[in-house]
Amino acid sequence: MKYNIRTSCEGLIIIHPSKILKICRPNSIEGTKSLGAPVIINVDHICLVSFNREGNPCYFLSNGFEVAINLPIDVVSKAFENAKCKKDSEFVSEPIEH
């Protein structure tokens, strides 16, 4: 089975594109959505792991972007912790039902 979210020993979080709900800067008119390629986030750029206004687990980045993910918060948090510790890991989880 494919991974949904991976971490690397370089401190990166790699998210399968099908698990990304949206990538946007909340205060901008235009949002961004990545299609077809994994989304790679350097863990050092994440300032907060929490829920966004729609109630989805989200990485809030220091540059003002938020990355909403269709995975349970415990998987999103564990991936963050493993990336901070520079651990290679893979998580396969069912998406959240809305």
Side-chain angles (χ1 to χ4, degrees):
M1 184 176 228
K2 284 187 183 180
Y3 72 92
N4 289 335
I5 191 167
R6 287 188 300 157
T7 62
S8 74
C9 59
E10 292 87 14
L12 300 176
I13 298 173
I14 302 107
I15 307 165
H16 196 274
S18 67
K19 301 304 172 204
I20 299 291
L21 294 173
K22 71 177 181 176
I23 300 173
C24 69
R25 186 170 277 183
N27 295 328
S28 70
I29 295 171
E30 291 186 44
T32 305
K33 174 133 172 139
S34 176
L35 297 173
V39 174
I40 300 173
I41 302 170
N42 185 325
V43 72
D44 294 331
H45 295 239
I46 298 172
C47 56
L48 179 66
V49 178
S50 187
F51 295 95
N52 64 6
R53 289 183 180 176
E54 291 84 29
N56 300 310
C58 196
Y59 291 127
F60 292 92
L61 307 182
S62 56
N63 63 3
F65 279 86
E66 64 180 49
V67 181
I69 304 168
N70 190 17
L71 291 171
I73 189 69
D74 60 328
V75 172
V76 172
S77 297
K78 188 66 175 169
F80 174 74
E81 292 169 17
N82 285 359
K84 273 293 205 195
C85 294
K86 311 281 193 219
K87 286 185 183 175
D88 287 324
S89 60
E90 287 189 8
F91 300 92
V92 177
S93 180
E94 293 300 316
I96 299 170
E97 295 298 323
H98 290 100

